[in-house]
Amino acid sequence: VVHTMPMSPSFPSPAMAAQIPANTLSKWPELVASMISSPLAPEWSATLTALGDYLVLHQQIKAAHVCYLLSPQTSPLGGIQSPSGRVVLIGLRNPHAWPSFYKDTDPIILSEMAEFAFSLKSVMKGQEPFHSLLHLQAYKLIRASYLTEIGKIQAASRYCEAITAAMTHPSHYLNSVLIEQLKGLADCLIDTPQMAK
């Protein structure tokens, strides 16, 4: 399955990406290190995003995601429906283009780690504090369901609590289907015998 790029003038065309020699892209870590060794200016953020776009077109997803994470001004994390979102789950192709994404839980865990890291950022005066990656809540529910299936009831319960806590801010990602599924799983966890916890 090929990683699909959003249709936008901000993304390079596959024809442009094909003109970049693979050995040039293999030096991306050195290039990124030289860019971030000084304060990141807006133009460097756009350059990192463009490099990430080229890496995606060459199927170097994890390398691209590193570039995107280092340039949040021009590479926002977002859900599948986010027109400018380049990362849905860290280290994974777009889940929309890869239906069996749920078989590997590492991208969900890596995305949670990024969510936690974003929550540690100091809030500037007049800005709203970071609450959570709202698009990630559905993926957390998938993880909680998996944990329930393998008998890790307490961990699954903590996921349900975290998802519920994230629902304080309205978002189209927090829809009635997610809420219904969350309630169903939480009820199932309550009904699970205490011994299995």
Side-chain angles (χ1 to χ4, degrees), residues 80-96:
I80 293 171
Q81 294 121 351
S82 176
S84 62
R86 286 170 164 80
V87 179
V88 177
L89 293 173
I90 295 174
L92 183 73
R93 291 175 256 156
N94 188 328
H96 186 67

Side-chain angles (χ1 to χ4, degrees), residues 12-20 57:
S13 71
M16 288 174 59
Q19 297 171 4
I20 298 174
L57 289 170

